[in-house]
Amino acid sequence: FCIQGLRLNVTDEGVQVVERVLEAGNPRNWRAVVHMGLEDRAKGLKIEVAALNNRASDNTTVYPTAPPILPTTVDLGKLALDPTQATGEIWSRDAGHYYCNEIFYRSLHAVRRAAAAAGVGRNAAARAGAGAGAGPRQLLPVVFVHLPEDTGGNTIAHMADMVTTIIATIMQDDNLRQF
């Protein structure tokens, strides 16, 4: 697989970049979206399991009629993280109230909205939010990973290895592989 990185501005405009690509039908043909951000309080890598419908700039809702919380579309059962490892990777259910949470929510919402708009029936709806070639019931995987500061066992090299492992695990699904 190929990893494409985008550096996004931490602004109201920056959090809409990925959402706009997904709303345009995913013309870049992304197979998954893995957002990353730094969190100075994190003791280790944190995988966010859900996002809150919260606008970072003023703490209002992003979409007033949308659900208050959206779970990640990644199959978390496939990610075998050991919180006892030196890096202290953990699951997190609070992506915060800043731009990290907002971009995560907007991406999850866009994937689900595209799936719902794709057509009649569960299979057609799920295909719309999936990457090209994805199976009939799989939404495009979207996850947010918070990274700690580069200290102690949390070196940049180690965190890069961990994120690469997360991406590889997500991409192991036969429905997401590009042939």
Side-chain angles (χ1 to χ4, degrees), residues 86-109:
T87 56
E89 307 93 43
I90 56 174
W91 303 105
S92 171
R93 59 182 173 82
D94 183 3
H97 291 272
Y98 198 54
Y99 289 107
C100 295
N101 173 77
E102 185 176 342
I103 193 171
F104 188 26
Y105 189 89
R106 286 176 176 276
S107 297
L108 291 168
H109 188 259

Side-chain angles (χ1 to χ4, degrees), residues 44-86:
L45 179 141
K46 291 173 33 175
I47 296 181
E48 303 297 343
V49 300
L52 180 66
N53 187 356
N54 183 75
R55 188 180 311 275
S57 60
D58 60 9
N59 283 326
T60 61
T61 56
V62 177
Y63 294 106
T65 60
I69 298 172
L70 290 176
T72 180
T73 52
V74 166
D75 182 352
L76 296 176
K78 291 182 179 182
L79 299 178
L81 297 181
D82 181 359
T84 63
Q85 290 181 356

